Amino acid sequence: MTKPIASGSRLLTGLYVVQLCAAVAVLTLQRRGDRTLLSFLAGPAGWVCIAALVALAASVLGLAYLVRGVAPPRGRRLAVPLVVNLVSLALVSGVAEAVVRLLATPTIQGPVVAGTVLLPHRWEEVAARSRALLDDASAARSYLVADSDLGWTIGPSRQSADYNRPGVDEYLARLGSPAGRRPAPAADAAIYVSSVEGMRSPRPGVSFAALPAKRRVALVGDSFTFGLEVHYEDTWGNQLERALGPEFQVLNFGVDGYGIDQAYLRYRRDVAAWHPEIAVLGVIDDDVRRTMCVYAFLCFPGFGMPFAKPRLVLGPQGLTPLNLPLAPPRTLFDTRAITELPYLAFDASFDPIEWAQHFYHHAYAIRLVLSRYRPWSTPRPAVSPPAQRALNAEIVRAFIRLARERGAVPIVVYFPSRPHPGSVSGAASVARETFDANHIRYLDLTDCVAAVPPDERFMALHYSPRTNTAVARCLQKAIAAGFHSS
């Protein structure tokens, strides 16, 4: 009696080993993505795959040997371990699925488990959420409005609470970041106010053009230039104006989410009539990535930005707009599938793997495993790292040339941003590398920001009032010293 039981347990163990080796082999093979077989096998995933395939072959041979050694009636004695194996796998799979679904948190990107977004994204859900966002923005007179040239900009004479707060909180929660937000204004507080010209302003209804003419400084850039998460009086732009003295007027044309390309286009279109003496272009590392985006909802997943974005390309004639004028946002989400949107090959944030639907994606547990071990995706030529560096460098040079042609002193400023949770300490700055490789002079505020104690530098993702003060002082010194971009 002991021999059949022992034989059955060995068969059951053999089945588990075969299935485990097959699962590891399949999981590592899907990591190959679009790499060549040789390049895949040369990497760690390839080594694990080879080992798993060898182990699979050996375990199959061992299982076959065990099956041949089973005494008659063979069918009945094989059925028991096989049924036990299938039942146990079904139980484990069911429990795993239930646990993953229980832990899943619904977000704007879809369900998230332990900081991992469960891929693939579903276009129907993304389009429905985006249409709802556009409806809400229209009804509430959103602070950010669609713009056929810039993608989005600041609406004139608007007031807004911290509209970015839900996205930031969700982002930090998804990453498991311990970085908490400092006390923020009440949810209904008008922390952001715009002038009649669509610039950040201290009070509603302000017209900067109606104020007495002064020596002007124009700021263009992203949320770090705009001063996200702090009141107007705490932004470095406002503090710079006070530091420069009463004869200066600092105009803040910064807009949340802008890449280097949008900052340049906003300067070209909106700043000329102001005739500033100094033009400041503020840049963080992520701005370099944003330049390679075509759609904001792909570029900023989870932040509720249902807009298209201008995309410049670098060709024989220099900088050329790829997709201007931009399509109205609502038309983007009337398409049946994301693949129907134009220019996706030029959007570095679009990965076809993240949108491909298969029958097994109904299981959350499978989606979690496949999302954590995604296939390799080779960057397309239009969005490769060399293309990104070349395009951003040319845009910054175009900004410098244009500012000088219009009689302004150009200053390119690099702002260090909050390290991504889990990022490698001391990782290279893509913006500084781009500037250095192309001999673009810039003002590096890394040391200036580092002078502020680490726990006081940021609100959540953006500078605290104290850091804004430090930035304003450093910029005032640079302007007084005659710093300008070469």
Side-chain angles (χ1 to χ4, degrees), residues 85-105:
N85 173 261
L86 293 175
V87 169
S88 61
L89 286 179
L91 286 173
V92 170
S93 300
V95 170
E97 180 69 12
V99 169
V100 172
R101 285 183 177 269
L102 184 64
L103 295 176
T105 302

Side-chain angles (χ1 to χ4, degrees), residues 7 17 36-37 143 168 181 204 266 269 280 303 367 403 468:
S7 176
V17 171
T36 64
L37 182 60
Y143 195 74
V168 169
R181 173 183 290 268
R266 179 149 162 88
R269 188 191 73 177
V280 178
F303 281 85
R367 290 173 67 184
N468 274 276

Side-chain angles (χ1 to χ4, degrees), residues 171 175 177-178 285 417-429:
Y171 171 79
L175 295 174
S177 172
D285 285 314
S417 49
R418 178 163 228 149
H420 187 289
S423 61
V424 178
S425 178
S429 160

